Amino acid sequence: MQGQVAQSVEQWTENPRVGSSILPLATMQSRRISITDVSDRAAVDACGALALLGYAALAFFSAHLHDAPNVTGFLALMAWGLLPLGLVFARFKRRPHEFPLVRLLCWALAFRLCGLWGVPIFEDDWFRYLWDGYRFFETGSPYGFAPMQAFADESVPAAFQRILDQINNPHLPTIYGPTTEYAFLVSYVLAPASLTPLKLLLIAVDLLLIRLLLSVAPAGFVALYAWCPLVIKEIAFSAHADGLGLCLAFAALLLHRREQFMAAGICIGLAVGAKLFALLLLPFVLIRAPPSAWLGFAGTLLLLYLPFLMQGSTDLASLMVFARDWEFNAALYALLSMWIEPIIAKALLAACLLAALAFYWLRFRAQPSASLPRGDLIFGGLLLVSPVINPWYALWLLPFAVIHPTRWAWTLAAALPLAYITGQNLGGLAGMEPYAQPLWVRPIEFGLVLIALGMDWRASRRRRHS
């Protein structure tokens, strides 16, 4: 794995000697090392303070946003968060192992605490989280009951009546998996009708993921994730639970690498129970694994779903509606569906994705057992063909882009907040539908990613020729 990371460092810096660039530092005079360390710490603190100011402003901005939506101010503050990240990464990208670890973690925590005091920005999914926790506690299941069925129910507490009024698509039961629903239940038990416990839980899980990343990648590259504005906004501010499934899936891969197969199977089962995205990593957890891994996966998934199956409903029905009817911020699907029927376009793109995954899996089998799959490519391919590309979906590929840093992956993380430029967030400008986007948004959003992809391809060719 160390060789894998070293190779990724070389690819990013385009310097074949970067892997040994740290060695001369060991022979420098102690006074020179001390000066360098002090300078590095000061640089990290200056960039951290600048970023913290931006996230504090974002927290204040979010609390005063609802009466007068201002997507321009939001995007400006997201760009503000990118600036110190870019500066600090530029300083350490050729010597990522020297990034001050304590400062990496302390500033990452400080940024997320700003999200704890902020409110979700341009989001209403969190009302469903709170409602699901209430339904789960009161009835034993959050499934099979559309929120609109409770509109006239006077037994619903006043606080949850207000929450009920804000739920999107109230005609549909919840689409969230059982692992996520247990998190909503815990949040309800700790503080009904409050998002704070759920945010604290998700922030803790996100910090755990950062710790896992530090076990396989140098701190300078882990900073790309730990300080990433998209990660902080979607997890700490908006409380999207994708981070829960992602952490469990990444832990499963690391446990498989350490030959703790039963634990790996349990973790990937919990991850799939959080979000079906984790199914794409399932073959890489079960590859070369004994029956205990398969048993751990199947048993965990069965235990998660069995109580709800016995009550007659799960998340699958609403997920089918979502897969059939939703389209937002799509890339290839948006282009293909202009020429052929949407159902055919979805089937064709799904077949292409499965074929590409099968091809990659066959190649991956020949690699050493300690290798981690290229989750950046796996989930990047999923987003490429998906009819829905919400900004928080990119969270699934970013930890793998720490191990294999590429320009296109981090450009995607920087560009996806543009997806929030919608009719609803523009105040119904020019009579736009709530989730419609101006025609120029996607060309800029995905055009930037294509440019970065071209730069990666050119750099790769240059390395091969050299």
Side-chain angles (χ1 to χ4, degrees):
M1 190 61 213
Q2 292 176 349
Q4 193 178 24
V5 173
Q7 182 182 7
S8 299
V9 174
E10 292 175 9
Q11 291 175 352
W12 183 276
T13 60
E14 301 178 33
N15 181 0
R17 306 180 72 85
V18 69
S20 60
S21 63
I22 298 174
L23 296 179
L25 295 177
T27 64
M28 295 176 65
Q29 297 179 355
S30 60
R31 180 172 176 273
R32 175 71 178 277
I33 293 175
S34 177
I35 293 173
T36 302
D37 289 346
V38 170
S39 176
D40 285 345
R41 289 195 294 267
V44 171
D45 286 340
C47 291
L50 179 61
L52 183 63
L53 184 61
Y55 292 122
L58 189 62
F60 176 83
F61 176 81
S62 69
H64 297 81
L65 187 64
H66 300 287
D67 295 331
N70 186 343
V71 72
T72 304
F74 162 71
L75 292 175
L77 289 172
M78 292 293 285
W80 185 340
L82 287 171
L83 175 61
L85 173 57
L87 291 174
V88 77
F89 179 73
R91 184 179 182 94
F92 289 95
K93 71 176 182 179
R94 294 185 184 275
R95 47 191 184 94
H97 290 86
E98 296 182 32
F99 198 106
L101 181 59
V102 173
R103 281 168 166 76
L104 166 70
L105 297 174
C106 288
W107 285 114
L109 175 60
F111 303 154
R112 284 157 176 79
L113 290 179
C114 290
L116 183 64
W117 285 302
V119 298
I121 306 169
F122 300 128
E123 294 285 355
D124 53 15
D125 289 349
W126 61 285
F127 295 107
R128 175 81 71 161
Y129 307 161
L130 299 180
W131 173 256
D132 282 1
Y134 164 75
R135 285 288 306 173
F136 198 165
F137 183 82
E138 292 292 326
T139 68
S141 173
Y143 298 119
F145 184 87
M148 65 181 299
Q149 295 176 252
F151 282 169
D153 187 350
E154 296 181 356
S155 67
V156 175
F160 283 96
Q161 285 286 0
R162 292 189 292 270
I163 289 170
L164 192 59
D165 292 338
Q166 304 296 322
I167 294 176
N168 61 36
N169 301 298
H171 61 290
L172 290 176
T174 188
I175 65 170
Y176 299 105
T179 304
T180 307
E181 293 293 348
Y182 280 107
F184 299 159
L185 176 63
V186 170
S187 178
Y188 173 85
V189 171
L190 293 175
S194 172
L195 196 59
T196 299
L198 182 61
K199 282 189 174 185
L200 283 170
L201 173 63
L202 295 177
I203 288 172
V205 169
D206 198 35
L207 293 174
L208 175 59
L209 177 57
I210 292 172
R211 175 62 186 87
L212 295 177
L213 285 170
L214 286 169
S215 70
V216 294
F221 286 171
V222 176
L224 287 169
Y225 179 88
W227 288 29
C228 178
L230 182 70
V231 175
I232 294 161
K233 186 271 175 191
E234 299 300 350
I235 293 179
F237 278 85
S238 297
H240 282 296
D242 288 63
L244 177 60
L246 173 58
C247 183
L248 289 164
F250 197 81
L253 292 171
L254 294 185
L255 289 167
H256 177 275
R257 178 171 172 256
R258 298 169 185 171
E259 299 185 354
Q260 297 177 2
F261 297 113
M262 172 68 85
I266 292 172
C267 277
I268 196 63
L270 291 170
V272 172
K275 192 154 190 169
L276 292 181
F277 280 18
L279 280 172
L280 298 185
L281 295 177
L282 180 62
F284 303 95
V285 175
L286 299 183
I287 188 174
R288 294 188 289 265
S292 61
W294 296 77
L295 180 62
F297 165 70
T300 299
L301 209 58
L302 179 62
L303 288 174
L304 284 173
Y305 274 100
L306 186 59
F308 308 115
L309 288 170
M310 293 176 64
Q311 297 182 61
S313 59
T314 67
D315 56 325
L316 298 181
S318 292
L319 282 172
M320 293 298 294
V321 175
F322 179 86
R324 185 187 67 222
D325 297 339
W326 260 254
E327 191 276 336
F328 174 73
N329 197 41
L332 282 185
Y333 171 77
L335 295 174
L336 198 58
S337 61
M338 295 171 61
W339 304 99
I340 62 178
E341 290 294 323
I343 187 64
I344 299 176
K346 291 176 181 178
L348 181 60
L349 291 172
C352 290
L353 177 63
L354 291 175
L357 288 174
F359 175 76
Y360 175 67
W361 185 78
L362 291 173
R363 295 191 61 183
F364 182 82
R365 287 195 309 171
Q367 296 183 17
S369 59
S371 300
L372 292 176
R374 289 293 301 268
D376 54 331
L377 300 181
I378 292 170
F379 292 111
L382 174 65
L383 295 186
L384 183 64
V385 304
S386 177
V388 177
I389 307 179
N390 288 314
W392 55 93
Y393 290 0
L395 298 178
W396 284 83
L397 63 88
L398 294 183
F400 301 94
V402 167
I403 301 170
H404 301 278
T406 55
R407 293 173 179 85
W408 72 263
W410 296 105
T411 300
L412 179 67
L416 271 181
L418 292 172
Y420 286 105
I421 303 177
T422 64
Q424 177 176 315
N425 297 333
L426 292 172
L429 183 67
M432 291 177 60
E433 293 294 324
Y435 294 104
Q437 296 171 299
L439 293 177
W440 52 268
V441 169
R442 293 188 211 185
I444 293 178
E445 190 179 7
F446 299 119
L448 291 171
V449 178
L450 284 175
I451 292 171
L453 189 62
M455 294 173 65
D456 284 329
W457 175 77
R458 182 179 178 183
S460 177
R461 287 194 60 190
R462 189 179 301 154
R463 285 191 302 274
R464 286 199 301 268
H465 286 261
S466 64

